[in-house]
Structure formats: structure tokens, C-alpha cells
Amino acid sequence: MKQTEERRTLKWDKLDNTAHLFPVIAGEQMSNVYRISVTLTEEIKQEVLQEALNMVLPKFDLFNVRLRQGIFWYYFEENVKKAPKVIEEETYPCRFIVQNKNRSYLFRVTYYKCRINLEVFHVLTDGMGAINFLKELTYQYLRLVHPELCEKVGGNALSSDTSLNREDSFLKNYKKSHQKSYKTEKAYLLKGEKYKSPEFGVIHGYLNIPQLKAVCKAKGASINEYLVAVFVWSVYQEYMHGMPNKKPIRVAVPVNLRPFFNSVTTKNFFTMVSAEFLVEKEIYTFEEILETVQKSLREQINKEHLEEIFSYNVSNEKMLIARAVPLVFKKIAMRSVYTSAALANTTTITNIGNIALREEYEPYVKQFHAFLAMSKGQNLKGTICSYQDTLVFTFSFVLKDTSVQKAFFRKIASDGVEVSIESNGVCYE
């Protein structure tokens, strides 16, 4: 009886609009788990990292939950179990998070030598929310290892710039009566021999930011536009071999909505736009591809259009009929819609942005990395993040053919940017 009474007092919360999809489609082959990691200047001490997690987790209601299934929707419930166990990394990244093997939490923390890995099931939050948590975990770890830091920063409280806001910014900002405004036509897909599950390839390319900015300035492009165009160019060269194709190379580009709508939420708040290039003749220059990618992205990345995209999705969720349909039937419809949307993109390239730390902690941190798990039809993905003067472009992939990755970094190097490469070694086995 006592246990029943305690369960009734547990806090619960709704999933945000984007999050509804992830538990429906997630599984061993498509985990919907992404990784953000930080590399320190010293090797990680497991017991101290565990202590840091134990201290930080109770301060983040967003992460301190488990996923429950209701009659009509999934929902979050407060998790009263101990923090998940910190372990040394010993297998491939971005594996499916099985809740009953992870104390019912929707994230995991591992380490390897000097690196702390935070892996998050996307139902919880997007990259901005994960960085928020990882930074505080890193700060707390460093304060425990270096007690003098605790005095410098004034104790173990969270930083003043760390948000704990949990509003559903989709619901807050959506407008009624919008039509669907994203592509569902099939895109050109990268196919070929794959690694055996759960093998998973990772290649990090380290780029000098001042040099990269100079190249982009000379081409009249933003860093994001340039890197997406280089990817399209690489697929055009290595897979299409300059031959026309009826299906376009289409790159899904997640856009962080917080700056457009003055949001500080730690829940998911992003939407997708796409850069599209249709190969209609045999010979294109890189400049032609860049111009097309630029035009495609610039037409879409504005407040009005972004509002149209997510408002259409929210309107569907708010429809009375959809709300009244039991979850078991919603799952069927949502999987069908997802499959159509997923096959409309060749890949996803997401830019986490520049990660800034409090000055007191900077001497202890070397670099950040981030990358995505695979999804239906997308066997190669790209993730961008930067720290200080280095941008890291990370390819995550399951295809044995690495010609696109090689062409990508060769093109950037030929434009005058210093590039150094690091891999998890899967493609050399």
C-alpha cells in the first residue's frame, strides 16, 4: 500500500512535440541516441565522475525521468532510482538505451582515457539541452578533482547561465492553420556494403577555424553553407560520378529555434530544413553547387518559414481526433509518416555550434565532439561542433565505403584549410 501511495506522488511531464516520435521508432537498429563528449587534459577517474553525476543529476529534472506509456501518449515520470552507473567505454557508441538495464534513465555516461561521453535518447532533449548538462557534469567533476576550483567559482552551485527551463516552446510559439512545408519526395540514398551490427564507424576531422572563416568569406558563404555544399559535392563526385539522376541529393539540416523565438528551454526545440541539389547535367563546378545550397538554405532559415514547419506538426498533435486515438494506432501512423520523411533525405548534417566554457575551467578542457546514430535510409551522417579555434566535423557511418569522407576532407584541404583526421579504427579493420 505504501509503495502505491508513493507512486501517485511522483512528478510527471508531457513529451514535447518532436519527442513523441522517438520512442515509436527507436530500437536496436535505429537507437535515436546521439553523443556529445568532452576531452580533458587528464585521464578520467571513474569514482569521481560517478560522484559528480550523483551530485548534478538531482538538479536537472529534465534528465531525472523515465519514460512511461499511457493509453494515448508516452509521458515522463520522475525517476527515483540512483543515478545510472558510470562505466568505462568498451563497445560501439550510440547504442539503443534499454531502460531496465540503465536504472530506467534515458541517458548514459561513459568515459575512455581523458574523455567523458554523454549519450542521450533524443526523446529527452536536443543538442543544446545535452550540452547544458554535460558542461555542468564536467564542471562538477573538475571541482572534485581540483578543489581549488571550488573556491574560485564560489562552490558547487550550477552556473548562472545554465538553464533549467522545461517549457514546451513548440506549443508556446506555434500558429494555427499552416500547411505542410517540408519535402517528402524520395532523395538519392547512399548504399553499399555495411558493417555488421553493432559496428559503427566514426571519423573526426579537425579544422582550423580562422583558416576556415577566410575560405568561407572568400566564397561569400557561411561555415554551415560551405560544409553542407562540400558534402553534396563529395556525393556528386564519388557516388554519382558526375552523372544526372532523377533523385536529388538532399541534406536535412536541423535548426536550433531558440534564438528565433527567445527561448531558453532545455527540451527539444529544433526543426528541419533541407538543402537540395538535383543533378541534371554531367558537369557542375563546386561554385554552382555552393550557390544552389546557399539559396536553398537561405530561403528556409527565417523565422516565418521555421514557424510554418513546426506549427504544422503541432497542429496535427492538437487535433482532437488524433488526441483521442489510442497510442497503439498512433504508432502505426507515426511510423509510416516517419519512413516517408526519412527517405526524403540523403543524410543529416547538424551543427551543435561553438561550445563556450567558464574561463576557470578552460585550461582543463581540450576539445568537444558530437555525432549521431544512423536512421532509416541514412547510413552516413555529419555533425559539427567547435571549441576555441578548432571546428570538428564528425562523420558517423555504417557503410564500409569511405570515399565520401575522404573526398570531403580533401576538398576542404585543397581550399586551404589545415585538416587532421582521427578515427575509431573501424574503417581500418
PDB file of all heavy atoms in Angstrom, residues 79-91:
ATOM      1  N   ASN A  79      12.080   9.803 -11.957  1.00  0.00           N
ATOM      2  CA  ASN A  79      12.840   8.582 -11.676  1.00  0.00           C
ATOM      3  C   ASN A  79      13.479   8.709 -10.290  1.00  0.00           C
ATOM      4  O   ASN A  79      14.306   9.593 -10.063  1.00  0.00           O
ATOM      5  CB  ASN A  79      13.928   8.382 -12.743  1.00  0.00           C
ATOM      6  CG  ASN A  79      14.542   6.996 -12.687  1.00  0.00           C
ATOM      7  OD1 ASN A  79      14.453   6.299 -11.680  1.00  0.00           O
ATOM      8  ND2 ASN A  79      15.193   6.593 -13.765  1.00  0.00           N
ATOM      9  N   VAL A  80      13.105   7.834  -9.383  1.00  0.00           N
ATOM     10  CA  VAL A  80      13.609   7.918  -8.000  1.00  0.00           C
ATOM     11  C   VAL A  80      14.781   6.973  -7.751  1.00  0.00           C
ATOM     12  O   VAL A  80      15.259   6.864  -6.625  1.00  0.00           O
ATOM     13  CB  VAL A  80      12.472   7.630  -6.997  1.00  0.00           C
ATOM     14  CG1 VAL A  80      11.395   8.693  -7.083  1.00  0.00           C
ATOM     15  CG2 VAL A  80      11.874   6.240  -7.226  1.00  0.00           C
ATOM     16  N   LYS A  81      15.251   6.313  -8.803  1.00  0.00           N
ATOM     17  CA  LYS A  81      16.381   5.398  -8.641  1.00  0.00           C
ATOM     18  C   LYS A  81      17.699   6.161  -8.571  1.00  0.00           C
ATOM     19  O   LYS A  81      17.764   7.343  -8.894  1.00  0.00           O
ATOM     20  CB  LYS A  81      16.424   4.411  -9.815  1.00  0.00           C
ATOM     21  CG  LYS A  81      15.212   3.493  -9.887  1.00  0.00           C
ATOM     22  CD  LYS A  81      15.316   2.551 -11.085  1.00  0.00           C
ATOM     23  CE  LYS A  81      14.089   1.660 -11.187  1.00  0.00           C
ATOM     24  NZ  LYS A  81      14.150   0.752 -12.362  1.00  0.00           N
ATOM     25  N   LYS A  82      18.750   5.456  -8.141  1.00  0.00           N
ATOM     26  CA  LYS A  82      20.083   6.050  -8.130  1.00  0.00           C
ATOM     27  C   LYS A  82      20.503   6.425  -9.546  1.00  0.00           C
ATOM     28  O   LYS A  82      19.995   5.878 -10.520  1.00  0.00           O
ATOM     29  CB  LYS A  82      21.103   5.061  -7.541  1.00  0.00           C
ATOM     30  CG  LYS A  82      20.896   4.743  -6.081  1.00  0.00           C
ATOM     31  CD  LYS A  82      22.096   3.981  -5.521  1.00  0.00           C
ATOM     32  CE  LYS A  82      22.263   2.628  -6.185  1.00  0.00           C
ATOM     33  NZ  LYS A  82      23.368   1.842  -5.564  1.00  0.00           N
ATOM     34  N   ALA A  83      21.433   7.337  -9.652  1.00  0.00           N
ATOM     35  CA  ALA A  83      21.939   7.745 -10.957  1.00  0.00           C
ATOM     36  C   ALA A  83      22.481   6.533 -11.712  1.00  0.00           C
ATOM     37  O   ALA A  83      22.959   5.571 -11.087  1.00  0.00           O
ATOM     38  CB  ALA A  83      23.033   8.790 -10.790  1.00  0.00           C
ATOM     39  N   PRO A  84      22.408   6.542 -13.038  1.00  0.00           N
ATOM     40  CA  PRO A  84      22.960   5.415 -13.792  1.00  0.00           C
ATOM     41  C   PRO A  84      24.446   5.235 -13.498  1.00  0.00           C
ATOM     42  O   PRO A  84      25.150   6.191 -13.183  1.00  0.00           O
ATOM     43  CB  PRO A  84      22.722   5.803 -15.254  1.00  0.00           C
ATOM     44  CG  PRO A  84      22.464   7.271 -15.249  1.00  0.00           C
ATOM     45  CD  PRO A  84      21.870   7.588 -13.917  1.00  0.00           C
ATOM     46  N   LYS A  85      24.897   4.017 -13.618  1.00  0.00           N
ATOM     47  CA  LYS A  85      26.284   3.700 -13.291  1.00  0.00           C
ATOM     48  C   LYS A  85      27.226   4.195 -14.384  1.00  0.00           C
ATOM     49  O   LYS A  85      27.012   3.941 -15.573  1.00  0.00           O
ATOM     50  CB  LYS A  85      26.446   2.195 -13.102  1.00  0.00           C
ATOM     51  CG  LYS A  85      27.809   1.775 -12.588  1.00  0.00           C
ATOM     52  CD  LYS A  85      27.857   0.275 -12.352  1.00  0.00           C
ATOM     53  CE  LYS A  85      29.235  -0.147 -11.837  1.00  0.00           C
ATOM     54  NZ  LYS A  85      29.311  -1.619 -11.616  1.00  0.00           N
ATOM     55  N   VAL A  86      28.272   4.893 -13.988  1.00  0.00           N
ATOM     56  CA  VAL A  86      29.312   5.350 -14.919  1.00  0.00           C
ATOM     57  C   VAL A  86      30.248   4.184 -15.190  1.00  0.00           C
ATOM     58  O   VAL A  86      30.774   3.576 -14.256  1.00  0.00           O
ATOM     59  CB  VAL A  86      30.100   6.535 -14.334  1.00  0.00           C
ATOM     60  CG1 VAL A  86      31.291   6.878 -15.231  1.00  0.00           C
ATOM     61  CG2 VAL A  86      29.196   7.748 -14.153  1.00  0.00           C
ATOM     62  N   ILE A  87      30.447   3.857 -16.468  1.00  0.00           N
ATOM     63  CA  ILE A  87      31.337   2.744 -16.807  1.00  0.00           C
ATOM     64  C   ILE A  87      32.352   3.181 -17.859  1.00  0.00           C
ATOM     65  O   ILE A  87      32.148   4.160 -18.577  1.00  0.00           O
ATOM     66  CB  ILE A  87      30.556   1.521 -17.326  1.00  0.00           C
ATOM     67  CG1 ILE A  87      29.782   1.879 -18.597  1.00  0.00           C
ATOM     68  CG2 ILE A  87      29.622   0.979 -16.252  1.00  0.00           C
ATOM     69  CD1 ILE A  87      29.133   0.684 -19.273  1.00  0.00           C
ATOM     70  N   GLU A  88      33.424   2.436 -17.960  1.00  0.00           N
ATOM     71  CA  GLU A  88      34.422   2.697 -19.000  1.00  0.00           C
ATOM     72  C   GLU A  88      33.869   2.191 -20.330  1.00  0.00           C
ATOM     73  O   GLU A  88      33.293   1.105 -20.412  1.00  0.00           O
ATOM     74  CB  GLU A  88      35.733   2.000 -18.675  1.00  0.00           C
ATOM     75  CG  GLU A  88      36.847   2.304 -19.671  1.00  0.00           C
ATOM     76  CD  GLU A  88      38.185   1.713 -19.262  1.00  0.00           C
ATOM     77  OE1 GLU A  88      38.214   0.878 -18.340  1.00  0.00           O
ATOM     78  OE2 GLU A  88      39.207   2.102 -19.873  1.00  0.00           O
ATOM     79  N   GLU A  89      34.050   2.983 -21.364  1.00  0.00           N
ATOM     80  CA  GLU A  89      33.533   2.594 -22.674  1.00  0.00           C
ATOM     81  C   GLU A  89      34.247   1.349 -23.171  1.00  0.00           C
ATOM     82  O   GLU A  89      35.472   1.282 -23.182  1.00  0.00           O
ATOM     83  CB  GLU A  89      33.724   3.737 -23.674  1.00  0.00           C
ATOM     84  CG  GLU A  89      33.123   3.446 -25.020  1.00  0.00           C
ATOM     85  CD  GLU A  89      33.227   4.610 -25.982  1.00  0.00           C
ATOM     86  OE1 GLU A  89      34.087   5.493 -25.777  1.00  0.00           O
ATOM     87  OE2 GLU A  89      32.441   4.650 -26.935  1.00  0.00           O
ATOM     88  N   GLU A  90      33.449   0.368 -23.625  1.00  0.00           N
ATOM     89  CA  GLU A  90      34.041  -0.882 -24.078  1.00  0.00           C
ATOM     90  C   GLU A  90      33.372  -1.432 -25.336  1.00  0.00           C
ATOM     91  O   GLU A  90      33.689  -2.518 -25.782  1.00  0.00           O
ATOM     92  CB  GLU A  90      33.958  -1.930 -22.959  1.00  0.00           C
ATOM     93  CG  GLU A  90      32.544  -2.191 -22.477  1.00  0.00           C
ATOM     94  CD  GLU A  90      32.502  -3.168 -21.309  1.00  0.00           C
ATOM     95  OE1 GLU A  90      33.580  -3.533 -20.816  1.00  0.00           O
ATOM     96  OE2 GLU A  90      31.377  -3.565 -20.905  1.00  0.00           O
ATOM     97  N   THR A  91      32.448  -0.678 -25.892  1.00  0.00           N
ATOM     98  CA  THR A  91      31.776  -1.132 -27.099  1.00  0.00           C
ATOM     99  C   THR A  91      31.526   0.064 -28.027  1.00  0.00           C
ATOM    100  O   THR A  91      32.053   1.147 -27.791  1.00  0.00           O
ATOM    101  CB  THR A  91      30.454  -1.844 -26.752  1.00  0.00           C
ATOM    102  OG1 THR A  91      29.889  -2.390 -27.953  1.00  0.00           O
ATOM    103  CG2 THR A  91      29.460  -0.887 -26.102  1.00  0.00           C
TER     104      THR A  91
END
